[in-house]
Amino acid sequence: MDDSADATKVEWREWGEEAFATAERAGKPVLLSLWAPWSEDCREMDETTYSEPRIAANVNDGFVPVRVNVDRRPRVRDRYNMGGFPSTVFTTPDGEVITGATFLGIDGFREILDAVRRTWDGKGAEAGSIPRQLGDAEPPGGELSARVEEHMVEQLLAAYDEEYGGWGTDVKFPLPRTIEFALVRARDQATRTLEAVRTRLADTYDGGFFRFAHDRNWGSPQREKLVDENAALLRAFAHGYRYTGEEAYRQTAEDTVEYLTTDLWTGDAFAASQGGDDAYYRREATEREDAAAPPVDGTVFAGHNGVAVDGLLTFAAYTDDERARRYAERARDHVLAELVGEDGAVVHFGDPETGEVGETGLLASQARVLSGLTTSASVLGEPGPMEAVADYAVEELQGESGAFRDGPTAGAGLLDRPLYPLDTNVDVADALVETWLLTDDDRYRAAAEDALSAFADATDRMGVEVATYASAVARLRDPRVVAVGADAGSDLHRAALRLADHETVVAPADDRADDGAAVVLADGDVEDRANSPEELESVLTG
């Protein structure tokens, strides 16, 4: 159990079949506390609500309290999340949801406890219900067309905040993949958003990016720093630098590399996150020097490290940054040695302190590690077990509709019910497109097309948050590869990385090109040839 939970007066149990069996035998509902190690609100609820003696006694007597680390158990998170963390969820002994909320103070918690008791006494197990997203069958499919990309461009225009940058007029998330989509379709939106993120969400003293802003003008940032979100922003700023040559973007990316490779480096790979402590971050720089920085969660998540490898190598491809390349290689090699099996199955996490490991074969882990490996193949010529990781996802997680489920269909509570999350399906489909373009193996094209088609009927309901869906469809419909008949690191290969747009795949040491030459392939056909970096620049930039 975590230190914050140990400091409360609640007798927490670990998530698992035994906790629900205990609730069944005792005839009691279950209280799930979904918490995140980086969340200041979670710590506050532990220090106040769960530490109040009468509330703790009430919980211990009338409920079976279960503590869930949402980073380590994403399948539980995605089935029981009430809209943020902490999530406070009351369920039946079968795991069906009675009611729930996010943060609850002492008075609010007393009210919900009384309400749940009345409901339970009156209805018992019939008080529970299954969340809507778990009651649906696999998503309905449709045809992929140019309309997908057109719709997303329309969404960019409709949701863009002309006054402050970014998308939406309330809480502002940086949305790095949306920025990347906009860089080639609405560049002014992308660059203005990068500028807002750089000036309002970057921690200029300790480094790294805060998660999001509560205000439309990018004020009141939420202070946590997550490695995957920072790495995704590193990649977005690297792409921004590639398209504009803006030195401020390069400097921001370099600062992010510095933060990742110091504060979030475990010695073997990248740690998960650094907690948010608003009081600490409000101090002046001189005051911070004498204060303890918020704690770092040293858990090594395979998928998070996949995102970090992707971001670091993208930056290295554009700048030859040796530090970014070296740390990407070290993190990649650690994850492959410790968290990826010979069959391509990815283990969700490893805890370097306790030796604990997570579930195997979660879709997000497979997708993110695969993305890191495709970038490694493109930038370094080192794909590692790229195809094995892709094959495992396709063979074990792709359903008849083409959609991928989020992981195994077994476990306590509602874990036996599959989810087909759009965002993670987009991630794995995009990585499979990359795998196809690097290997020229049509199996990966088919798998990606099936996954994207499974959600095509929902295209008109998609917002800018899933802009990668549109870019993945565009890459599938109009695939472009620069095949280089020279090794990774050669002048011709390095030129290809810098000159090709970021939705074009660069494949080094590729037998589709003659030795010492490069060919631009459009849907498999040779569109142009080049025998030198200068010729390639003429071909790719006109």
Side-chain angles (χ1 to χ4, degrees):
M1 198 65 65
D2 58 284
D3 292 341
S4 187
D6 290 341
T8 72
K9 298 183 183 301
V10 177
E11 297 169 0
W12 297 109
R13 296 170 180 266
E14 298 283 355
W15 170 272
E17 298 282 2
E18 180 55 35
F20 287 93
T22 297
E24 180 68 36
R25 291 192 298 269
K28 297 178 180 180
V30 174
L31 164 61
L32 298 180
S33 169
L34 274 61
W35 73 285
W38 38 264
S39 169
E40 187 174 14
D41 289 341
C42 290
R43 288 194 299 276
E44 182 180 347
M45 190 166 173
D46 286 340
E47 293 168 359
T48 55
T49 306
Y50 287 130
S51 293
E52 205 285 319
R54 285 170 294 182
I55 283 182
N58 197 339
V59 168
N60 294 334
D61 290 343
F63 301 84
V64 176
V66 177
R67 186 81 163 179
V68 180
N69 181 326
V70 295
D71 287 347
R72 295 191 173 197
R73 294 189 179 275
R75 290 202 297 140
V76 180
R77 174 197 67 206
D78 293 344
R79 286 158 177 77
Y80 291 102
N81 182 6
M82 291 289 125
F85 305 109
S87 276
T88 309
V89 192
F90 296 88
T91 81
T92 69
D94 290 333
E96 296 186 7
V97 176
I98 299 172
T99 190
T102 53
F103 179 94
L104 289 168
I106 291 174
D107 292 341
F109 198 85
R110 286 197 181 108
E111 292 177 7
I112 201 169
L113 283 179
D114 291 342
V116 172
R117 278 188 178 280
R118 290 193 299 270
T119 300
W120 179 256
D121 290 343
K123 296 183 178 180
E126 294 182 1
S129 62
I130 297 171
R132 184 177 59 183
Q133 73 270 24
L134 293 172
D136 297 336
E138 292 188 353
E143 295 294 324
L144 300 177
S145 70
R147 174 61 190 154
V148 174
E149 187 175 4
E150 292 169 1
H151 167 77
M152 194 56 68
V153 172
E154 292 168 3
Q155 290 296 99
L156 287 180
L157 298 174
Y160 184 67
D161 186 339
E162 292 285 354
E163 185 172 1
Y164 295 108
W167 294 275
T169 56
D170 192 4
V171 174
K172 286 288 179 65
F173 286 88
L175 302 179
R177 299 303 292 271
T178 305
I179 291 171
E180 293 178 9
F181 179 82
L183 274 169
V184 294
R185 298 167 179 88
R187 187 164 300 169
D188 184 62
Q189 290 189 12
T191 55
R192 288 191 62 200
T193 303
L194 284 172
E195 193 63 23
V197 172
R198 184 180 73 84
T199 57
R200 303 306 301 273
L201 290 186
D203 180 355
T204 56
Y205 180 74
D206 284 340
F209 294 100
F210 301 125
R211 292 191 62 226
F212 62 88
H214 288 276
D215 299 336
R216 177 189 172 192
N217 67 353
W218 298 90
S220 302
Q222 188 74 19
R223 303 287 190 172
E224 303 94 1
K225 303 175 188 177
L226 278 59
V227 68
D228 54 340
E229 294 178 356
N230 271 262
L233 281 168
L234 165 61
R235 190 176 105 152
F237 274 95
H239 287 320
Y241 170 70
R242 175 254 182 261
Y243 283 102
T244 67
E246 175 59 59
E247 279 298 322
Y249 298 163
R250 176 175 179 150
Q251 186 60 57
T252 300
E254 286 182 352
D255 293 344
T256 310
V257 172
E258 171 75 15
Y259 174 70
L260 291 173
T261 58
T262 52
D263 293 52
L264 294 188
W265 183 251
T266 69
D268 296 308
F270 293 102
S273 59
Q274 185 170 27
D277 182 341
D278 197 59
Y280 171 84
Y281 288 115
R282 286 181 180 277
R283 297 171 187 242
E284 296 294 332
T286 54
E287 296 175 318
R288 286 201 211 176
E289 291 178 2
D290 299 322
V296 169
D297 176 6
T299 307
V300 173
F301 289 97
H304 290 29
N305 275 265
V307 178
V309 169
D310 183 11
L312 289 163
L313 290 181
T314 298
F315 182 61
Y318 296 147
T319 63
D320 288 331
D321 188 281
E322 176 62 20
R323 181 175 191 162
R325 183 195 61 77
R326 185 173 70 254
Y327 277 88
E329 290 177 328
R330 292 175 65 185
R332 178 202 63 194
D333 293 348
H334 176 79
V335 167
L336 294 181
E338 301 295 331
L339 298 175
V340 179
E342 293 183 3
D343 60 351
V346 178
V347 178
H348 179 45
F349 72 85
D351 186 329
E353 292 188 6
T354 66
E356 181 184 356
V357 296
E359 284 190 278
T360 295
L362 299 182
L363 180 61
S365 299
Q366 299 290 146
R368 289 174 150 199
V369 169
L370 179 58
S371 182
L373 292 175
T374 60
T375 306
S376 177
S378 181
V379 176
L380 303 177
E382 299 171 359
M386 179 181 72
E387 292 184 66
V389 172
D391 290 344
Y392 184 93
V394 173
E395 293 166 8
E396 299 296 330
L397 298 175
Q398 192 164 27
E400 292 184 4
S401 72
F404 288 79
R405 65 178 183 275
D406 66 335
T409 51
L414 298 176
L415 295 190
D416 59 345
R417 292 177 174 267
L419 272 177
Y420 299 90
L422 170 60
D423 54 352
T424 321
N425 268 266
V426 170
D427 288 344
V428 74
D430 194 51
L432 286 167
V433 170
E434 296 254 350
T435 307
W436 161 52
L437 295 176
L438 286 163
T439 63
D440 200 27
D441 189 332
D442 281 335
R443 292 183 301 131
Y444 302 122
R445 176 178 187 163
E449 184 171 10
D450 288 347
L452 296 170
S453 297
F455 295 89
D457 190 51
T459 297
D460 288 341
R461 300 190 297 276
M462 293 181 187
V464 296
E465 298 81 4
V466 287
T468 308
Y469 180 83
S471 60
V473 171
R475 297 173 82 194
L476 194 69
R477 287 172 48 82
D478 184 21
R480 291 174 62 82
V481 180
V482 178
V484 180
D487 290 339
S490 65
D491 288 346
L492 189 59
H493 171 247
R494 291 168 62 242
L497 290 172
R498 286 165 169 75
L499 294 168
D501 71 76
H502 74 274
E503 293 180 1
T504 296
V505 167
V506 175
D510 195 295
D511 58 12
R512 289 172 288 185
D514 296 332
D515 288 346
V519 295
V520 179
L521 302 171
D523 203 10
D525 297 327
V526 175
E527 186 177 74
D528 280 299
R529 299 178 184 274
N531 292 300
S532 68
E534 293 75 21
E535 288 184 14
L536 186 60
E537 181 174 12
S538 177
V539 163
L540 292 177
T541 65

